[in-house]
Every structure is written in structure tokens, then in C-alpha cells.
């Protein structure tokens, strides 16, 4: 039997109204292409790649209202502020700019209302 020291993220999954459209937004945000064959019902980014796969699946019925259950935190580099502006220009709703104890971040909602954040590099 093989033991593992830890588990790693294999996939981020989103229930959504239009999988191809939401995958397109995240593709532009992450600067990774949408995999071939994307439809309104199902789409992926990076399915055969090295990094985590992003999967988008059309929900059956109503999507729950309110804050999403998984908060994505994207780590920014020195250009984090420019990246935040770029993501906003792609269609994200900028909710708030924040700073607490020297840590800075921006809260966004993607085109289907999922909340995510872009952080500045950690202070040294």
C-alpha cells in the first residue's frame, strides 16, 4: 500500500448557468486556454495539464443565492494591482479594496457572482 504525506488540489469545480461562458472568463483571468469541446453544459481548463483542473458544469435547477462555498484566493506578484485592474476589465465586479495589518487585497465577483480575491505579495 502506498502512503501519501499530503493531498493536493486536483480540480476546482463550479456549478453555473453557462459553463463555456464562465470558463471563458476564468481562462482570460488565469491566462490558460479553455479545453476543446466546451459547451454551455460542460467545460474545463487544464484537464490534461500539470496544474489543477478547473471544471464548469451547468447546474440542474436554481443556483443557490448568496456567497459561494469555496473562496478562491489568487496570489499576486509585484503587479497585483495591475492584475486586479485587468480582471475587472475582463468583467469581474470589483466589490472592495482592503488593507489590514499591512496585508492588501481586492474582493471580486465573477460574471456569475462567485466571490474571489486577489492578494498583494505578503509583507516582509
Amino acid at each position: 500500500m502506498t502512503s501519501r504525506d499530503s493531498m493536493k488540489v486536483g480540480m476546482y469545480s463550479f456549478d453555473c448557468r453557462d459553463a463555456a461562458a464562465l470558463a471563458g472568463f476564468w481562462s482570460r483571468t488565469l491566462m490558460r486556454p479553455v479545453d476543446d469541446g466546451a459547451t454551455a453544459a460542460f467545460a474545463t481548463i487544464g484537464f490534461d495539464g500539470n496544474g489543477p483542473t478547473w471544471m464548469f458544469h451547468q447546474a440542474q435547477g436554481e443556483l443557490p443565492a448568496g456567497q459561494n462555498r469555496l473562496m478562491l484566493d489568487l496570489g499576486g506578484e509585484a503587479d497585483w494591482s495591475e492584475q486586479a485592474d485587468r480582471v475587472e476589465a475582463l468583467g469581474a465586479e470589483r466589490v472592495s479594496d482592503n488593507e489590514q495589518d499591512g496585508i492588501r487585497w481586492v474582493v471580486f465577483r465573477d460574471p456569475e457572482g462567485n466571490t474571489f480575491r486577489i492578494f498583494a505579495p505578503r509583507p516582509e
Side-chain angles (χ1 to χ4, degrees):
M1 183 159 118
T2 304
S3 70
R4 295 184 176 180
D5 292 332
S6 65
M7 295 179 68
K8 64 179 184 174
V9 173
M11 186 178 313
Y12 300 107
S13 299
F14 289 80
D15 284 341
C16 54
R17 290 183 268 301
D18 185 330
L22 193 57
F25 167 80
W26 282 104
S27 169
R28 293 185 302 277
T29 296
L30 299 168
M31 295 182 274
R32 294 176 63 193
V34 174
D35 297 329
D36 291 338
T39 67
F42 182 78
T44 58
I45 296 171
F47 188 78
D48 292 324
N50 293 330
T53 299
W54 292 59
M55 182 182 75
F56 305 87
H57 183 267
Q58 191 174 57
Q60 302 299 314
E62 286 295 313
L63 291 169
Q67 193 166 353
N68 51 300
R69 294 180 188 190
L70 172 65
M71 174 74 75
L72 295 172
D73 290 331
L74 304 175
E77 299 299 327
D79 67 344
W80 75 278
S81 183
E82 291 85 4
Q83 292 292 347
D85 292 342
R86 182 182 69 82
V87 169
E88 184 177 21
L90 291 173
E93 175 191 352
R94 189 181 214 118
V95 175
S96 63
D97 290 79
N98 305 275
E99 182 171 352
Q100 183 175 354
D101 299 326
I103 300 171
R104 297 181 297 167
W105 71 96
V106 181
V107 177
F108 291 98
R109 285 195 188 94
D110 75 12
E112 290 206 6
N114 298 300
T115 304
F116 66 100
R117 300 178 284 212
I118 295 178
F119 278 82
R122 293 181 183 188
E124 295 183 20

